[in-house]
Every structure is written in structure tokens, then in C-alpha cells.
Amino acid sequence: MNRLLVQLSCLLAVFALPAWSQDTPQLQLPRVTLSAGMHLINAQLAATPEQRTIGLMFRQEMPANEGMLFVFEQPAGQCFWMKNTLLPLTAAFVADDGTIVNLADMKPQTLDSHCSTQPVRYVLEMNKGWFAKRGLKSGSRLGGAPFERRK
């Protein structure tokens, strides 16, 4: 019952969210630097259920080498959609070791579901075409602290 109340609260919070502008950041999220070959990515981390629910909604622009890394507790089939997201994005579904499992171009303000082709713990959203412009595809590898092996 408590879990249902938490889920309903999160759902109500999403529908009650104001339309943020660039001057009013929706969340002050921690950042991590990732690498994709010689390219560096400045990614915000969305690691809690609330942060993942809000994601990049309502943002009107995002700098070229910035993105958002969604971090889940354990690998699972992950699906994303774009309701209330104004930017065209590409989602990279990423395995624990940083290998891109698959990519999905996502159209703004749609309910189309875009899913990983296998269980993943990470999803990196970048401006649409960012990966393609750099020759990154399934099997390419990202680097950075989230993907380093823990001993």
C-alpha cells in the first residue's frame, strides 16, 4: 500500500510540474565527465526515481556536449518516452562496462516507447544525432567513473 502511495505521489508530481525555463533549472543534479573516444561528455546524473522521472522534461536547449545519464539500481530492460520533453534526443542504452547496447532516436512530445534490447543499468540521453555525428553505434564504448569495475 505504501509503495502504491509513493508511485501515485510521483505521478502527481510529474503532472503538476511547471514549465521550467533555462533560467530556472529543474534540478541541481551532480555531474560526471564521460568519454566517447576522444569526445568528452558533461552529463548530469539522474539516479533517484524522482530525478529519472523528470529527466530532461521542459528544457528548451542543451549544449552540444552535455547530456543526462540515467542510473538504475540494477540492469533491467529500460524504456523511455518523451512526454513533456521538448528536445529531440538520442538515447544510448549502456551496459555496466560502458558498451552501447543500442541507440534510439526519440521525437519530442510523444508517447512512443524506446527500449533497450537487453538489460542495462545506464541510459545516456544526448541531443539527437550526437552519437551518429561522432561515428558511435552499438558496440562502441563509453568511459568514465560509472563504468569502471569496482573491486
Side-chain angles (χ1 to χ4, degrees), residues 110-125:
T110 63
L111 298 178
D112 300 339
S113 189
H114 306 277
C115 301
S116 60
T117 57
Q118 64 187 41
V120 296
R121 184 185 317 263
Y122 304 101
V123 180
L124 175 62
E125 288 183 343

Side-chain angles (χ1 to χ4, degrees), residues 34-41 130 134 136 140-143:
L34 305 175
S35 62
M38 62 185 241
H39 306 284
L40 295 180
I41 301 164
W130 189 92
R134 289 154 183 82
L136 301 168
S140 296
R141 199 144 183 198
L142 303 176

Side-chain angles (χ1 to χ4, degrees), residues 29-105:
L29 297 175
R31 291 182 176 266
V32 65
T33 299
L34 305 175
S35 62
M38 62 185 241
H39 306 284
L40 295 180
I41 301 164
N42 182 3
Q44 286 184 294
L45 291 174
T48 69
E50 179 186 24
Q51 292 166 346
R52 291 189 301 258
T53 298
I54 296 170
L56 291 169
M57 289 193 312
F58 303 112
R59 295 203 187 165
Q60 296 181 14
E61 59 185 23
M62 185 167 59
N65 292 316
E66 289 195 15
M68 182 171 283
L69 182 66
F70 295 80
V71 181
F72 295 88
E73 290 77 21
Q74 58 189 9
Q78 306 297 343
C79 292
F80 280 56
W81 50 302
M82 298 283 286
K83 182 176 181 171
N84 298 323
T85 304
L86 308 175
L87 303 170
L89 300 171
T90 300
F93 297 93
V94 184
D96 281 359
D97 67 355
T99 302
I100 297 174
V101 172
N102 64 294
L103 296 165
D105 287 338

Side-chain angles (χ1 to χ4, degrees), residues 14 22 116 145:
V14 168
Q22 283 299 110
S116 60

